[in-house]
Amino acid sequence: MRALRERFEAGQGALGEAKSGKLTTSIAISSPADLGRALTLTGEFGLRTVIRGGDKHDEFVEELKAANVAIAMAPLGLATNERTYNSIKALAEAGIPMAFGIADSGNAAATLRESAALMVAAGIDRAVAWKAVTSTAAKMVGAGDRIGRVATGLDADLVLWSGDPLLISS
């Protein structure tokens, strides 16, 4: 942490751009202690941050909201436990931006849509779930001005489904 702080303080290169707000900082975590360090660093340097990893952030809703961070979650699946859904629901209700990361790109589009559909089935607002795979996800990677919505002047790939895209059966 000390070396990282020194590099942010020096403000050179990509870390300088992150410190100035030109770049989003993506911080991978694997424990509550990692999350605490990520939030401290974010606050200390005023970083625009996406937290990657961990699936039980609901214990830190107030801290996450205060830090104005976004969450990149692992894709959901049929084996996802209720604790994870409850955590995602708490984050969504608090207005914390979220999207899904992708482990591999082989079946990414289907995995993302299925994750959103599973969020809706678990009781999460469908607008939040849809944005987690469209506009919020685009904003989190710094491309919200080009993709993530169907609008004049934006790039788009359009897909037709047999029914509601947020139903697993579609």
Side-chain angles (χ1 to χ4, degrees):
M1 284 296 286
R2 185 177 336 141
L4 195 52
R5 276 189 178 94
E6 289 171 1
R7 289 190 175 113
F8 271 113
E9 287 168 0
Q12 297 173 350
L15 294 181
E17 289 187 49
K19 184 178 172 184
S20 72
K22 292 178 185 172
L23 287 178
T24 299
T25 304
S26 177
I27 303 176
I29 65 158
S30 60
S31 70
D34 287 347
L35 179 57
R37 286 188 286 273
L39 293 176
T40 297
L41 199 63
T42 294
E44 209 173 300
F45 293 102
L47 304 174
R48 194 173 66 217
T49 300
V50 173
I51 302 291
R52 294 183 298 115
D55 61 359
K56 296 172 181 67
H57 298 308
D58 57 323
E59 301 167 25
F60 304 96
V61 168
E62 293 307 316
E63 294 90 337
L64 291 164
K65 194 168 184 169
N68 198 29
V69 300
I71 305 293
M73 303 171 289
L76 304 175
L78 296 177
T80 301
N81 63 50
E82 187 175 350
R83 170 76 169 91
T84 298
Y85 286 115
N86 289 339
S87 181
I88 294 168
K89 198 173 196 178
L91 296 172
E93 289 170 355
I96 296 168
M98 62 183 77
F100 298 98
I102 304 170
D104 66 57
S105 60
N107 198 15
T111 301
L112 295 177
R113 185 189 69 85
E114 289 165 6
S115 293
L118 289 168
M119 285 175 69
V120 170
I124 294 163
D125 181 82
R126 59 185 300 104
V128 171
W130 191 246
K131 287 177 181 180
V133 296
T134 58
S135 59
T136 301
K139 287 177 192 173
M140 286 170 58
V141 298
D145 60 336
R146 294 189 349 261
I147 61 172
R149 297 172 288 125
V150 177
T152 302
L154 299 185
D155 296 339
D157 293 319
L158 302 177
V159 179
L160 299 177
W161 282 281
S162 60
D164 182 343
L166 294 180
L167 290 176
I168 296 289
S169 60
S170 296

